[in-house]
Amino acid sequence: MTSPLFRTKSVEQSIQDTEEPEHALKKSLSALDLTVFGVGVIIGTGIFVLTGKVAKESAGPATALAFVVAGVVCALAALCYAEFASTVPVAGSAYTFSYASLGELPAWIIGWDLVLEFALGTAVVAVGWSGYVRSLMDNAGWHLPETLTGPDATDGFGFDLLAFALVLVLTAILVLGMKLSARVTTVVVAIKVAVVLIVIIAGAFFIKADNYKPFIPKAQDVPAGDSIQSPLIQLMFGYAPTNFGVLGIFTAASVVFFAFIGFDIVATAAEETKLPQRDMPRGILGSLLICTVLYVAVSIVVTGMQHYSELSVDAPLADAFKATGHPFYAGIISFGAAVGLTTVCMILLLGQTRVFFAMSRDGLLPRFFSHVHPKYKTPHRPTILLGVLIAVLAGFTSLNELAELVNIGTLFAFVVVALSVIILRRTRPDLERAFRTPMVPLVPILSVAASVWLMLNLPAETWLRFGIWMALGFVVYFAYGRSHSQLGRRGKQLSADDAR
């Protein structure tokens, strides 16, 4: 007999639960909306910041190849997500997928982690957005009091008013409906992509061929204590990584990978998509392809404009234009970064509320949060609750305290989804799959291997935080979720009916 901890929720039951009127989300999104969402959340600080860091420290002009490697790793995971999102078009993404294949406890674990990751991600992005906006305001001669610019600016009380206000405004937009959210995102993404294209086109005129020499700089050993990789790598494999050279490209890929995180959030909107079987794969894979092309193009341009050894780490694109005597473009880039982070923040918040909503509809969190708004058909209760909590977190949080927290939960989700594809192919070969991951089990196995490798590259502090949050999650599950599970209650009811 299967343990209650690993009881699975059938795909048919998951879809049936979405049809209950008071728990049903409105279907309003198209493939274009999903692609825009994906581009909106992927293109953020990564393209504006990480390019300079990895070029200067790890790969030189070969940074473009590092983006290609990272894009391939994400593509492996994206193929797995596309199969699940089209087969199980239910809110919750990796949480829902693992519930259908691995069981309730694994589903709870991944859902619990994604809630934390999206919350921290939203707060970090909001604080970063605030910094860009304050910089633009300072250039215009407008200055906020130090006490309203966050704890980083003062030794005493500090509250980041701009970050707080941004999260509240985005919360209101998400409550009012997915179509409104999609329209706002479309406008903002159009501005953001236009800025990126300006960087590519304008920067192309300032490229100097000599800056590409050598394209792959000679390898150098990382000095002791300066390794950008986790101590786990050296502990398990007994070697220190290298800067530059061919191996430096893979070291760089482990860093720029995090510039791609976000495409998986598209899967959380599966339940609100008009034709998920067709549009989900298009949205997930399309947004990833677009962003990979833009990332590669930007890295080629910026390393051609300025020698990699001279690139700025904090603002490489803007400073590269300043170095060539064109500060006007630097201002445009700062504006684009500020605008771009708006959509990143909103879509991270969107992803979190959908995972929370799915978990509450299954009874693992209070069912109070699984009711949709009677007019807007959005999960307004978890959206408002989480929006207010994250707004307060963003207002009182120092960026330095959160900036180093990388998304280990997303990589963990990649592993879970890839394994789930293999398991569900064996347990439910009869399911109609509008999109099928090619070369199963090879592609999912490669996705697991690549994700685990990148997880090993994360700092030890990230693993410690991950462990503490997971331990707390086990306590919540056994204290509340296990006994309130809708799936468990249905099982008990069926057993009682059989006994009679």
Side-chain angles (χ1 to χ4, degrees):
M1 183 177 180
T2 303
S3 167
L5 300 180
F6 296 95
R7 54 196 172 202
T8 57
K9 183 178 182 182
S10 70
V11 173
E12 292 79 5
Q13 184 62 58
S14 294
I15 296 175
Q16 183 179 331
D17 286 348
T18 69
E19 298 170 355
E20 298 176 6
E22 61 180 359
H23 302 294
L25 299 173
K26 184 178 180 180
K27 298 182 182 297
S28 60
L29 300 179
S30 64
L32 177 61
D33 293 327
L34 295 172
T35 302
V36 169
F37 270 134
V39 174
V41 73
I42 296 171
I43 296 183
T45 54
I47 199 169
F48 296 108
V49 176
L50 287 181
T51 303
K53 176 180 175 62
V54 298
K56 191 168 185 175
E57 299 177 0
S58 302
T63 296
L65 298 180
F67 276 113
V68 172
V69 171
V72 170
V73 173
C74 289
L76 293 172
L79 290 169
C80 298
Y81 269 89
E83 173 168 327
F84 256 115
S86 60
T87 307
V88 193
V90 178
S93 184
Y95 159 76
T96 301
F97 305 158
S98 56
Y99 211 161
S101 55
L102 300 178
E104 185 170 284
L105 182 59
W108 165 265
I109 291 171
I110 191 62
W112 180 253
D113 185 71
L114 289 177
V115 166
L116 172 72
E117 295 298 329
F118 291 160
L120 290 178
T122 306
V124 169
V125 173
V127 174
W129 174 88
S130 175
Y132 276 110
V133 172
R134 288 200 307 272
S135 176
L136 292 171
M137 291 172 63
D138 290 342
N139 292 339
W142 303 336
H143 306 285
L144 285 175
E146 282 193 357
T147 54
L148 296 180
T149 58
D152 281 330
T154 174
D155 294 331
F157 172 82
F159 182 76
D160 195 329
L161 179 63
L162 292 177
F164 176 80
L166 172 68
V167 177
L168 290 186
V169 169
L170 296 179
T171 298
I173 291 174
L174 289 174
V175 168
L176 292 176
M178 278 295 287
K179 198 60 184 177
L180 174 62
S181 305
R183 288 170 180 166
V184 171
T185 303
T186 300
V187 173
V188 175
V189 169
I191 296 173
K192 178 164 56 175
V193 171
V195 170
V196 172
L197 291 175
I198 288 173
V199 170
I200 296 171
I201 296 171
F205 290 97
F206 308 123
I207 290 176
K208 295 180 180 179
D210 288 344
N211 288 332
Y212 291 129
K213 299 176 182 177
F215 188 74
I216 302 179
K218 186 178 179 180
Q220 302 172 8
D221 291 332
V222 176
D226 291 341
S227 172
I228 64 172
Q229 290 184 297
S230 165
L232 290 173
I233 294 292
Q234 297 186 39
L235 180 64
M236 295 177 66
F237 300 99
Y239 75 94
T242 62
N243 282 334
F244 308 116
V246 174
L247 290 179
I249 295 173
F250 292 96
T251 301
S254 70
V255 177
V256 301
F257 169 82
F258 297 102
F260 287 90
I261 286 178
F263 75 85
D264 56 308
I265 295 178
V266 175
T268 65
E271 193 173 326
E272 295 158 276
T273 304
K274 295 176 183 176
L275 297 171
Q277 290 78 10
R278 183 195 70 184
D279 294 342
M280 265 291 143
R282 293 181 180 182
I284 293 173
L285 297 170
S287 59
L288 182 60
L289 176 62
I290 290 171
C291 293
T292 301
V293 171
L294 291 176
Y295 277 15
V296 170
V298 166
S299 61
I300 290 174
V301 168
V302 74
T303 53
M305 290 176 64
Q306 191 175 19
H307 195 267
Y308 74 89
S309 62
E310 299 173 356
L311 284 174
S312 160
V313 173
D314 296 328
L317 274 63
D319 290 346
F321 277 102
K322 289 180 182 178
T324 57
H326 295 83
F328 169 75
Y329 291 108
I332 292 180
I333 291 169
S334 295
F335 172 74
V339 171
L341 291 180
T342 306
T343 55
V344 177
C345 191
M346 183 171 75
I347 300 169
L348 283 171
L349 183 58
L350 164 74
Q352 186 197 38
T353 58
R354 270 43 180 186
V355 173
F356 196 97
F357 170 78
M359 295 175 75
S360 66
R361 186 165 58 189
D362 289 333
L364 302 183
L365 290 172
R367 292 268 289 176
F368 171 81
F369 295 107
S370 66
H371 294 269
V372 298
H373 193 281
K375 178 179 179 181
Y376 303 119
K377 298 299 180 182
T378 56
H380 59 297
R381 291 173 178 173
T383 302
I384 293 171
L385 170 69
L386 296 169
V388 171
L389 290 176
I390 295 172
V392 173
L393 177 64
F396 285 108
T397 300
S398 167
L399 184 60
N400 292 332
E401 294 174 0
L402 291 180
E404 297 300 319
L405 296 179
V406 290
N407 209 333
I408 191 174
T410 300
L411 284 166
F412 183 52
F414 286 1
V415 172
V416 170
V417 171
L419 291 175
S420 296
V421 167
I422 297 174
I423 293 172
L424 205 62
R425 283 283 188 98
R426 290 182 176 276
T427 59
R428 292 297 308 274
D430 58 305
L431 280 177
E432 182 180 348
R433 293 169 170 84
F435 178 89
R436 298 176 68 88
T437 303
M439 295 185 288
V440 173
L442 178 61
V443 167
I445 289 174
L446 289 175
S447 179
V448 170
S451 298
V452 169
W453 170 255
L454 292 178
M455 288 175 73
L456 292 175
N457 280 274
L458 299 179
E461 294 81 2
T462 301
W463 282 89
L464 178 62
R465 170 190 58 82
F466 184 69
I468 292 173
W469 181 251
M470 286 297 101
L472 179 61
F474 277 104
V475 173
V476 175
Y477 174 75
F478 285 103
Y480 181 89
R482 186 183 184 190
S483 59
H484 289 79
S485 166
Q486 290 294 107
L487 186 61
R489 291 186 173 185
R490 288 192 190 106
K492 291 179 180 179
Q493 183 63 46
L494 289 175
S495 297
D497 291 343
D498 291 342
R500 286 196 293 267

